[in-house]
Amino acid sequence: MGLQDTICAGLEKIDSKGKFLEESWERPEGGGGRSRVMREGKVFEQGGVNFSEVHGEELPPSIIKQRPEAKGHNWFATGTSMVLHPRNPYIPTVHLNYRYFEAGPVWWFGGGADLTPYYPYLNDTRHFHQVHKQACDSVNPELHKVFKPWCDEYFFLKHRNESRGVGGIFFDYQDGSGCLYKGQNPKGAASIASQKLEDQKLSWEELFSLAKACGEAFLPSYLPIIEKRQTQAFSERERNFQLYRRGRYVEFNLVWDRGTIFGLQTNGRTESILMSLPPLVRWEYGYKASVNSREALLTDIFTKPQDWFTDKTLEEKCRPFKAID
Amino acid sequence: MGLQDTICAGLEKIDSKGKFLEESWERPEGGGGRSRVMREGKVFEQGGVNFSEVHGEELPPSIIKQRPEAKGHNWFATGTSMVLHPRNPYIPTVHLNYRYFEAGPVWWFGGGADLTPYYPYLNDTRHFHQVHKQACDSVNPELHKVFKPWCDEYFFLKHRNESRGVGGIFFDYQDGSGCLYKGQNPKGAASIASQKLEDQKLSWEELFSLAKACGEAFLPSYLPIIEKRQTQAFSERERNFQLYRRGRYVEFNLVWDRGTIFGLQTNGRTESILMSLPPLVRWEYGYKASVNSREALLTDIFTKPQDWFTDKTLEEKCRPFKAID
């Protein structure tokens, strides 16, 4: 709740016009939350920041499959999540979620943050990654090399063969057992990075510090991008492309995001779950960005997993579009 | 292909401005299709009419589960599908799909058509149902009492507790075995209606006639609604509500529609599959239609399964809103 407060205050300050409206809710089966939405701000066309703390008697089968020790036990879960849809197409959409579960003998942390630009800039991307890397490094300098590729793997639209955006960090089922990567692709970069780190066993305290540090990294990772881009003029072309690309956000959340699908199929609070969907979206059959356009730069370079810090060819690729800074 | 031609010709005629653009495509694993899209017509903001005829070596597990006899056999599938998104909020969105499968010793027909109004009229709804009932009746007068509730059951958004629209007809796995209902809800109205009809065994020829009659029923079921509504004036309020409700169409197709999800998760032709999505969509957190408004009439009455022909209270409920005709 502290993180939710801090983030909302920071966002209201930079928006200067929009205010978050809060709705508190209770879950009949146990627990509740507070949903906060800003609509039609100056910077944010829509933004939602949710907190929830819920409990129940038996976790759903999909989670029990991952954590069989939780079977037959009461459970407790708490988390903060956020999606922001800015109006200006030069400011990226951004998502954050950090969560903690307990069930009988087991507990775990999960979460992450990822950035989804429309007209990307290399230095904005690097900044977002750098601040999140520092947050991970503050707990253990080996973590980021697993959580960065795990994010690339999770926020991926298989039916488009595209990343959702430029990524960030993601982790799940962090239970102190020393296995950092618990994803679904044993041959992927996150798994390979994790195999080299089998001795990195994190305590509950370290994992709590991690979630805290990453949550606190959000404002410094994102506000400077807003400051830099918010006065950049755009026309109907950029707005149309933004609305079109927002369709990808909807496709990811409704087709691939396990949390969203699970929530919808198991009687979750629909309005809070779907707060992540953009306020206005466009689909266009057979759209293709012109070759060598600013729009094509997004899918040619920025929605593919990249080594943002060390790949020096990225600058060459971005320079013709003035997309470094 | 004949049905696709007939439908496209009828739609171009009534639109008077928009033309379908065709894209033929081949499937690397076998077969192909022709996708036709109309954009920015006078009546239709967007419309897609697809034909495909594809074959392969082994059906996917989800279908094999339903038809175990198909296992290990080559398969063949053909179908026509259509979704139309009119511009005027008084004209409903409409969907049609008829398909036929063969795999070794088994074959089956499936499909249906359903209507999704924004500002519904009772008589439009009755007309759409009446024409489809006649098509079913032309083959066997017992079919409609199963296919109408089956449609209500299939086109249902569980996370909203709403029907997608006013329904129509739906059937699947019709293989001449005499079991009309092969859906997932043994206690539902379609199942109960079907149990009374256990002697209704339909031949291949009858089922082919059914698919043909239903496909040919589409234009007479829908064009009169366009004719009646296309000159009805609307303002920003109606347009906004239409864009908001189109969000439900996206939610159904991406979260619940087995065909869409299956296609996206198994390397189908993404652009053709997602042609069903509306060209412009709006989401709004916590929207509620005012009590006793024209908008509330939709969710109070029209997105609940109803007995459109015989329930006489519907007229009383619609009269205050001038929503009978």
Side-chain angles (χ1 to χ4, degrees):
Chain A
M1 292 168 83
L3 181 62
Q4 188 192 29
D5 287 341
T6 307
I7 287 177
C8 288
L11 296 176
E12 284 189 350
K13 190 174 167 209
I14 200 159
D15 191 90
S16 78
K17 176 189 162 206
K19 297 283 170 206
F20 281 98
L21 293 180
E22 180 177 299
E23 244 186 326
S24 291
W25 51 272
E26 286 185 15
R27 191 169 162 274
E29 300 88 350
R34 49 186 210 193
S35 294
R36 290 187 187 160
V37 187
M38 181 191 289
R39 289 182 56 201
E40 292 174 28
K42 196 176 152 201
V43 171
F44 301 110
E45 197 170 331
Q46 185 182 291
V49 189
N50 291 319
F51 166 79
S52 68
E53 187 181 54
V54 295
H55 51 92
E57 295 196 348
E58 176 86 30
L59 281 165
S62 60
I63 298 185
I64 293 290
K65 205 178 157 189
Q66 297 282 331
R67 305 276 85 181
E69 309 90 329
K71 197 168 168 59
H73 292 283
N74 290 350
W75 58 271
F76 165 88
T78 186
T80 300
S81 64
M82 178 201 77
V83 174
L84 305 175
H85 292 288
R87 192 181 303 281
N88 189 318
Y90 290 104
I91 307 177
T93 285
V94 67
H95 157 258
L96 162 156
N97 169 248
Y98 295 102
R99 53 194 183 249
Y100 172 70
F101 280 78
E102 282 182 2
V106 283
W107 53 265
W108 66 92
F109 288 88
D114 75 298
L115 193 71
T116 307
Y118 303 92
Y119 288 89
Y121 289 87
L122 184 56
N123 283 347
D124 292 354
T125 303
R126 284 178 170 165
H127 173 76
F128 186 82
H129 278 275
Q130 184 60 40
V131 175
H132 282 95
K133 181 176 184 303
Q134 278 164 5
C136 295
D137 288 356
S138 75
V139 175
N140 183 318
E142 305 298 324
L143 302 179
H144 187 260
K145 61 188 72 163
V146 177
F147 298 163
K148 189 272 180 192
W150 198 346
C151 187
D152 291 335
E153 177 188 304
Y154 184 79
F155 294 103
F156 190 80
L157 288 82
K158 294 191 192 71
H159 68 288
R160 299 284 193 182
N161 195 29
E162 281 174 16
S163 297
R164 173 157 94 171
V166 299
I169 56 167
F170 182 78
F171 54 90
D172 207 355
Y173 295 114
Q174 294 299 308
D175 57 3
S177 68
C179 176
L180 292 173
Y181 175 78
K182 306 197 174 195
Q184 310 208 324
N185 183 2
K187 290 182 181 168
S191 176
I192 290 165
S194 188
Q195 283 157 23
K196 295 179 189 161
L197 305 173
E198 279 172 359
D199 53 341
Q200 302 298 324
K201 195 166 167 173
L202 299 171
S203 65
W204 192 98
E205 286 72 18
E206 282 172 310
L207 287 165
F208 181 63
S209 299
L210 175 70
K212 206 161 171 292
C214 291
E216 286 164 1
F218 167 68
L219 287 176
S221 78
Y222 188 61
L223 296 188
I225 299 174
I226 297 181
E227 274 158 12
K228 217 161 165 183
R229 304 297 162 206
Q230 64 180 336
T231 56
Q232 224 161 301
F234 62 93
S235 67
E236 212 181 317
R237 169 176 169 164
E238 289 82 18
R239 175 67 171 168
N240 275 337
F241 183 64
Q242 177 197 47
L243 297 187
Y244 173 76
R245 290 296 308 182
R246 281 179 176 175
R248 298 292 207 274
Y249 219 79
V250 176
E251 292 173 24
F252 179 81
N253 286 6
L254 297 185
V255 178
W256 297 107
D257 187 59
R258 291 193 290 265
T260 302
I261 298 165
F262 173 76
L264 294 180
Q265 296 189 341
T266 55
N267 212 15
R269 188 172 191 264
T270 296
E271 287 295 320
S272 294
I273 298 166
L274 296 187
M275 199 191 273
S276 64
L277 299 183
L280 196 64
V281 187
R282 213 167 62 78
W283 273 274
E284 181 179 328
Y285 174 79
Y287 171 83
K288 279 204 183 84
S290 321
V291 176
N292 271 330
S293 64
R294 188 71 174 83
E295 288 79 14
L297 183 69
L298 178 68
T299 41
D300 288 349
I301 306 295
F302 283 85
T303 61
K304 291 181 164 55
Q306 304 283 1
D307 195 341
W308 301 109
F309 299 136
T310 58
D311 183 346
K312 296 301 170 196
T313 68
L314 293 171
E315 294 185 13
E316 287 161 43
K317 289 166 185 160
C318 292
R319 189 163 295 118
F321 303 97
K322 298 179 180 169
I324 297 175
D325 188 295
Chain B
M1 291 168 84
L3 180 63
Q4 187 192 29
D5 288 341
T6 306
I7 288 176
C8 288
L11 296 176
E12 284 189 350
K13 190 174 168 210
I14 200 160
D15 191 273
S16 79
K17 177 189 161 205
K19 297 283 170 204
F20 281 98
L21 293 181
E22 180 176 298
E23 243 185 327
S24 290
W25 50 272
E26 285 185 17
R27 189 168 162 276
E29 301 88 349
R34 48 186 211 194
S35 294
R36 290 187 187 161
V37 188
M38 181 193 289
R39 288 182 57 201
E40 293 174 26
K42 196 176 153 201
V43 171
F44 300 110
E45 198 170 329
Q46 185 182 292
V49 189
N50 291 320
F51 166 79
S52 68
E53 189 182 51
V54 294
H55 51 91
E57 295 197 348
E58 178 87 30
L59 281 165
S62 61
I63 299 184
I64 293 290
K65 204 178 158 188
Q66 297 283 332
R67 304 277 87 182
E69 310 90 328
K71 197 169 167 58
H73 292 283
N74 290 351
W75 58 272
F76 165 87
T78 185
T80 300
S81 64
M82 178 200 78
V83 174
L84 305 176
H85 293 288
R87 191 180 304 279
N88 189 319
Y90 290 104
I91 307 177
T93 285
V94 67
H95 157 257
L96 162 158
N97 168 247
Y98 295 103
R99 52 194 183 249
Y100 172 69
F101 280 78
E102 281 182 2
V106 283
W107 52 265
W108 66 92
F109 288 89
D114 75 299
L115 193 70
T116 306
Y118 303 93
Y119 288 89
Y121 289 88
L122 183 57
N123 283 348
D124 292 354
T125 303
R126 283 178 170 164
H127 173 76
F128 186 81
H129 278 275
Q130 185 59 41
V131 175
H132 282 96
K133 182 176 184 304
Q134 278 164 5
C136 295
D137 288 357
S138 75
V139 175
N140 184 316
E142 306 297 326
L143 302 180
H144 188 259
K145 61 187 73 161
V146 177
F147 298 163
K148 189 271 181 195
W150 198 345
C151 187
D152 291 335
E153 176 188 305
Y154 184 78
F155 293 103
F156 190 79
L157 288 80
K158 294 190 191 74
H159 67 288
R160 299 285 192 182
N161 195 30
E162 282 174 15
S163 297
R164 173 157 93 172
V166 300
I169 56 168
F170 181 78
F171 53 90
D172 206 357
Y173 296 115
Q174 295 300 307
D175 57 4
S177 68
C179 176
L180 292 174
Y181 176 78
K182 307 198 173 195
Q184 311 210 321
N185 183 3
K187 291 181 181 170
S191 176
I192 290 165
S194 187
Q195 283 157 25
K196 296 180 188 161
L197 304 174
E198 279 173 357
D199 53 340
Q200 301 298 326
K201 194 166 168 173
L202 299 170
S203 66
W204 192 100
E205 286 72 18
E206 283 172 308
L207 287 165
F208 180 64
S209 298
L210 174 71
K212 206 161 171 292
C214 290
E216 285 164 2
F218 167 68
L219 287 176
S221 79
Y222 188 62
L223 296 188
I225 300 174
I226 297 180
E227 274 158 12
K228 218 161 163 182
R229 305 297 162 206
Q230 64 181 338
T231 56
Q232 225 162 299
F234 62 93
S235 67
E236 211 181 317
R237 170 177 168 162
E238 289 81 19
R239 175 65 171 168
N240 274 338
F241 184 63
Q242 177 197 47
L243 297 188
Y244 174 76
R245 291 296 308 180
R246 281 179 177 174
R248 298 291 207 274
Y249 218 79
V250 176
E251 290 174 23
F252 179 81
N253 285 6
L254 298 186
V255 177
W256 297 106
D257 187 59
R258 290 193 290 266
T260 302
I261 297 165
F262 173 76
L264 293 181
Q265 296 189 343
T266 55
N267 211 15
R269 189 173 189 262
T270 296
E271 286 295 320
S272 295
I273 297 167
L274 295 186
M275 200 191 273
S276 64
L277 299 184
L280 195 64
V281 187
R282 211 167 63 79
W283 272 275
E284 181 179 328
Y285 174 78
Y287 171 83
K288 277 201 185 86
S290 320
V291 177
N292 272 328
S293 64
R294 188 73 173 84
E295 288 79 13
L297 183 70
L298 178 69
T299 41
D300 288 349
I301 306 295
F302 283 85
T303 59
K304 291 181 165 51
Q306 304 283 2
D307 195 342
W308 301 108
F309 299 136
T310 58
D311 183 347
K312 295 302 171 196
T313 68
L314 293 171
E315 292 183 13
E316 289 160 42
K317 289 166 184 160
C318 292
R319 189 165 294 116
F321 302 98
K322 299 180 180 168
I324 297 175
D325 188 298

